[in-house]
Amino acid sequence: MNDRKTIRIALTKGRLEKDTVGLFEKIGYDVSQLRDKGRRLILEIPGADIEVVLAKAADVITYVEHGVCDMGVVGKDTIDEHGGRFFEVCDLGFGRCRFALAGQKGFDFYKGCGVKTIATKYPNVTRRFFEAKGMDVDIVKIEGSVELAPLLSLSDGIVDIVETGTTLKENGLEVYEDVSPISARVIVNPVSMKLKKTAIENLIAEMEKNI
Ligand code: PRP
């Protein structure tokens, strides 16, 4: 458990990190260390009693679950896939995209009653989506560029993140059905929420006010 009075918040490296740093700047925090971080992974916001940790999305959840970080900013995609014991307290509105079922353009995905094969980086999200439909599918886990799977006939479709739709379009694929919306969320360790209640609630309020 991170038991100092400072709030330690883990940010998902990359775009969500940039958007969160922008939000911190809007709040009025000194983000100079965060803007000029080099290869450092733990940074401070001087004068605000906030320490920022930069991590990969799934690791943000791990650090918050273990209480070594009090809070985290992570995409709903990672939350939906990994789950975990934490409070999801706020939707930051940025990092907006969606999970969608997609595949070869013009293919009638729901036609016929054979078991379909779905390639995805998100097997849990995919399983729940088809379970809710009462539809049996085979799921193949792929690590990246999932769009290749239907093109190479490994799968009938994919469940993947769609943001602009450009990757699908440029590869002759199309969305068959939206699965669920995604955006950046703030998560909080339940013990930190009790022990650092006021400081955490104040930070969340500042973030919500400046979204
Ligand atoms: C994500 C996602 C799609 C693409 C969607 O991939 O898996 O491939 O972005 O974006 P678009 O709708 O704006 O084209 P990412 O860039 O994370 O790479 P990956 O496929 O290797 O994981």
Side-chain angles (χ1 to χ4, degrees):
M1 174 65 201
N2 160 40
D3 57 1
R4 304 177 322 149
K5 94 174 191 320
T6 301
I7 292 179
R8 191 183 285 155
I9 182 164
L11 307 187
T12 301
K13 277 198 221 175
R15 198 176 131 199
L16 295 191
E17 168 197 338
K18 284 196 186 73
D19 288 344
T20 312
V21 171
L23 178 57
F24 285 163
E25 191 164 37
K26 215 168 145 196
I27 292 172
Y29 293 147
D30 175 354
V31 295
S32 50
Q33 278 199 25
L34 292 163
R35 292 258 190 246
D36 188 22
K37 62 183 186 333
R39 303 287 290 177
R40 279 181 300 161
L41 300 171
I42 302 180
L43 303 136
E44 268 168 38
I45 299 184
D49 271 338
I50 297 172
E51 192 172 69
V52 174
V53 169
L54 303 177
K56 286 197 84 155
D59 299 336
V60 167
I61 290 184
T62 303
Y63 292 132
V64 171
E65 272 199 295
H66 283 80
V68 296
C69 291
D70 302 300
M71 305 172 67
V73 173
V74 66
K76 184 67 173 165
D77 50 329
T78 309
I79 293 174
D80 284 350
E81 182 61 21
H82 291 262
R85 296 172 307 277
F86 51 78
F87 297 137
E88 184 186 319
V89 293
C90 142
D91 182 347
L92 293 174
F94 52 70
R96 257 185 215 292
C97 49
R98 66 201 206 267
F99 277 125
L101 169 66
Q104 297 260 21
K105 214 169 166 196
F107 175 65
D108 190 353
F109 179 82
Y110 288 109
K111 200 175 168 193
C113 51
V115 173
K116 299 284 194 302
T117 301
I118 307 296
T120 187
K121 276 190 279 186
Y122 302 89
N124 294 326
V125 170
T126 303
R127 184 180 30 77
R128 284 199 303 271
F129 175 67
F130 286 105
E131 262 173 19
K133 291 177 177 292
M135 193 171 157
D136 194 18
V137 293
D138 286 333
I139 297 172
V140 180
K141 174 91 189 312
I142 295 288
E143 296 299 330
S145 301
V146 179
E147 293 84 0
L148 278 171
L151 295 173
L152 301 177
S153 301
L154 174 68
S155 73
D156 300 295
I158 61 174
V159 167
D160 198 22
I161 291 171
V162 178
E163 190 182 354
T164 61
T166 310
T167 311
L168 291 179
K169 201 169 165 214
E170 291 193 0
N171 290 289
L173 306 175
E174 66 179 356
V175 169
Y176 300 144
E177 193 176 337
D178 283 347
V179 173
S180 57
I182 296 168
S183 55
R185 307 296 162 100
V186 178
I187 61 171
V188 181
N189 174 276
V191 178
S192 298
M193 191 58 133
K194 273 191 197 144
L195 299 181
K196 301 181 181 181
K197 192 175 189 322
T198 309
I200 289 175
E201 281 179 355
N202 288 344
L203 176 54
I204 292 165
E206 285 297 331
M207 289 172 93
E208 282 181 324
K209 222 174 14 179
N210 288 279
I211 285 169

